[in-house]
Amino acid sequence: MNDSADIRFLLTLREGGSLIAAARKLGVSPSAVTQRLQQLEKKLGAQLVNRTSRRLQFTEEGTLLCERGAELIQQFDSLFEDLHMRRGGLIGTLKINAPLGFGRRHLAPAISGFQQQNPDIEVALTLSDKPLTGTMDRFDIVVHIGELPASNLVGYTIAPNARFVCAAPALIKRIGAPDSPDDLSKLPCIVLQENNEDVSLWQFSKGRLRRSVRVPARLSCNDGDVIRQWACEGRGVILRSEWDVADDIAQGRLIRLLPGWKAPDANVMALTHQRAGLPARTRHFMQYLQSRFRPLPPWRR
């Protein structure tokens, strides 16, 4: 393995997960991918991939090459990117993973604006209901909303974001407004399924008081737009991010409940694998993203 092309080939294999996907990405036939992999393994004298299942499974040697090789490729690309920056531009591919709703409403327009300002940058956006449970090293940036689980990722705050308990006026007129978080256990509720969290356990604070309430999940979905629409139709109570319900509250489609009680904040974070040595395109996009949401994010303007 004497050049970066072999490492890039292996990384493409791992990202695609199959010979067919890798062949499609490389623009060659699956047999050509197989032949190149065999030649690489012969040159190294080690098996890199087990091909006994429908999906490729990397051996310890293959995994090591991908992990260490990805770091080398990033350093290699950063070097030439910095050289290109001296001539006045950004180059390369920026891979971003983000939640479905926030990605559609707020991140996609930001990416469009950034790419328009930097036409030599290629941006690949992946939207998911479980952005933290995928293969993290496939992405340069993962946008996350809420508390960050224990991990080796480095977090940068993009925007503040509270969470509100809301319901449609018609539902409140029919069942009455709750006086305390405990009352929610008797009301029809709607929950958002994301990141394998315990989504029906809602937590609140009021000064030094703490309350945890197990709500009845009459409806649930992995798409925030769906549960917000159900709430606007009067189907149940939701606990939802401020960025998602601010317009509905302002327009009277939803009413905020329990304003004296505070749910844990769910700030918008951008996560990277390391703090130092980030490519220029990643650093500049992070700065651009932060500028889009400062001094106030759109949902607080």
Side-chain angles (χ1 to χ4, degrees), residues 122-143:
E122 297 179 3
V123 184
L125 172 63
T126 299
L127 299 181
S128 169
D129 62 333
K130 298 177 181 178
L132 288 181
T133 58
T135 304
M136 298 294 298
D137 53 7
R138 293 182 181 178
F139 301 99
D140 302 299
I141 295 175
V142 175
V143 175

Side-chain angles (χ1 to χ4, degrees), residues 20-289:
I20 294 177
R24 189 181 300 115
K25 181 74 177 291
L26 295 170
V28 298
S29 66
S31 60
V33 172
T34 300
Q35 184 178 9
R36 182 173 180 182
L37 177 59
Q38 291 173 343
Q39 291 173 346
L40 180 56
E41 290 176 329
K42 183 178 180 180
K43 180 166 60 174
L44 294 173
Q47 184 175 0
L48 304 177
V49 179
N50 290 320
R51 299 179 284 279
T52 57
S53 61
R54 295 182 62 182
R55 291 189 61 83
L56 299 177
Q57 294 182 338
F58 279 76
T59 64
E60 290 186 11
E61 291 79 5
T63 299
L64 177 63
L65 277 174
C66 286
E67 292 177 351
R68 296 288 298 277
E71 298 174 4
L72 294 173
I73 288 296
Q74 185 179 65
Q75 294 174 11
F76 184 84
D77 289 346
S78 294
L79 171 62
F80 282 91
E81 189 176 5
D82 288 343
L83 290 175
H84 188 78
M85 279 288 294
R86 293 176 179 267
R87 300 197 302 270
L90 290 172
I91 59 172
T93 300
L94 187 61
K95 298 179 181 180
I96 304 169
N97 196 5
L100 289 166
F102 187 84
R104 282 193 298 259
R105 194 181 308 180
H106 294 291
L107 192 60
I111 289 174
S112 178
F114 177 78
Q115 201 281 328
Q116 190 171 19
Q117 291 183 11
N118 303 276
D120 291 331
I121 290 286
E122 297 179 3
V123 184
L125 172 63
T126 299
L127 299 181
S128 169
D129 62 333
K130 298 177 181 178
L132 288 181
T133 58
T135 304
M136 298 294 298
D137 53 7
R138 293 182 181 178
F139 301 99
D140 302 299
I141 295 175
V142 175
V143 175
H144 175 67
I145 299 176
E147 184 178 356
L148 179 63
S151 73
N152 294 325
L153 297 174
V154 179
Y156 301 83
T157 300
I158 299 300
N161 175 56
R163 293 197 296 169
F164 300 150
V165 179
C166 308
L171 179 66
I172 298 306
K173 183 178 180 180
R174 187 170 74 248
I175 66 175
D179 296 320
S180 73
D182 295 334
D183 294 337
L184 295 171
S185 64
K186 308 179 186 67
L187 302 181
C189 295
I190 307 171
V191 299
L192 175 66
Q193 301 169 345
E194 59 181 354
N195 288 326
N196 295 327
E197 298 174 357
D198 189 355
V199 294
S200 64
L201 185 64
W202 294 1
Q203 300 179 1
F204 301 91
S205 63
K206 185 178 184 180
R208 294 183 178 180
L209 296 177
R210 300 289 185 271
R211 289 288 187 275
S212 295
V213 183
R214 178 71 64 183
V215 299
R218 302 291 178 83
L219 292 169
S220 65
C221 184
N222 67 335
D223 190 326
D225 283 347
V226 171
I227 73 164
R228 181 177 55 82
Q229 182 60 40
W230 282 340
C232 290
E233 294 171 358
R235 298 302 311 281
V237 179
I238 60 172
L239 175 62
R240 196 69 187 107
S241 281
E242 177 186 6
W243 69 261
D244 191 29
V245 296
D247 287 345
D248 291 312
I249 293 174
Q251 298 297 323
R253 292 184 291 268
L254 292 174
I255 296 176
R256 184 181 175 187
L257 307 176
L258 301 172
W261 290 86
K262 179 178 176 59
D265 287 336
N267 294 332
V268 181
M269 307 287 293
L271 311 178
T272 64
H273 297 282
Q274 58 195 55
R275 190 176 299 277
L278 291 175
R281 59 183 177 273
T282 303
R283 298 195 308 270
H284 280 255
F285 177 74
M286 298 270 280
Q287 295 167 1
Y288 177 85
L289 199 58

